[in-house]
Amino acid sequence: MPFVAPEPVVTDVVSDVVTDVVADVVAGVPGACGTALDIACGEGRHAVWLAEQGWRVTAIDFSAAGIATGRALGAAHGVDVEWVVGDVRTWRPAAAYDLVLACFVHLEEQTLRSVRSWLAPGGHLVLVSHGAGPGGPGPRFRTTVAAMRERAGDLEVLECREVAGEAERSSRILLHARRPA
């Protein structure tokens, strides 16, 4: 019997899932509500939240099921998002972005170089990853503030710090960097 993917389940948890740290950083981006790219968007909660804030969003993920759920979530919230099923390692955007967001995706340096090049002059890169605290994924998928800072490459680092995770059982590392104008 062939595999049949289930229908997307739409829940109204967008605001609960968008971490305070992402919301705070994005709210502080000058000239907010330009173009945004959500990398490895999963089920699209950040993408939908960004669109609700007025950003023109492209969201990419390799999971067709995740993108289908994101489309349904966007429709339920009445926002337009450009949904792309694709591999960020080989995909190339048609234009540069004012904001690129990547949460809990572990990009190799070559891919990260490409991602940084997708920023418009003055564009902002926001990366969130698992820290070294207890809880969370295995050590391979954790990082430190120093290692995260290096991921900015030639971008100007505006902020790079550790923040507490849910119930302080885990930590997150935030990098907020900007391409010079």
Side-chain angles (χ1 to χ4, degrees), residues 88-89 92 105-117 125 127 147-155 175:
V88 72
R89 296 173 298 179
R92 295 297 173 257
V105 60
H106 308 282
L107 303 172
E108 299 296 328
E109 180 55 34
Q110 180 178 349
T111 302
L112 194 54
R113 252 191 315 275
S114 293
V115 168
R116 290 189 301 253
S117 76
L125 174 67
L127 302 179
M148 189 68 117
R149 183 177 292 276
E150 289 178 16
R151 299 183 71 90
D154 61 350
L155 303 179
L175 170 67

Side-chain angles (χ1 to χ4, degrees), residues 1-97:
M1 177 179 285
F3 173 76
V4 177
E7 289 294 315
V9 176
V10 177
T11 59
D12 195 19
V13 295
V14 173
S15 61
D16 293 338
V17 173
V18 175
T19 60
D20 290 341
V21 68
V22 170
D24 289 346
V25 168
V26 171
V29 170
C33 301
T35 57
L37 173 64
D38 184 3
I39 292 175
C41 67
E43 295 181 343
R45 291 178 185 98
H46 283 114
V48 168
W49 180 83
L50 286 166
E52 287 178 326
Q53 308 313 304
W55 291 87
R56 292 178 311 281
V57 183
T58 300
I60 182 170
D61 199 282
F62 66 85
S63 169
I67 292 294
T69 300
R71 277 191 183 106
L73 184 64
H77 283 256
V79 295
D80 291 323
V81 173
E82 178 185 353
W83 300 100
V84 177
V85 176
D87 186 337
V88 72
R89 296 173 298 179
T90 57
W91 179 79
R92 295 297 173 257
Y97 293 92

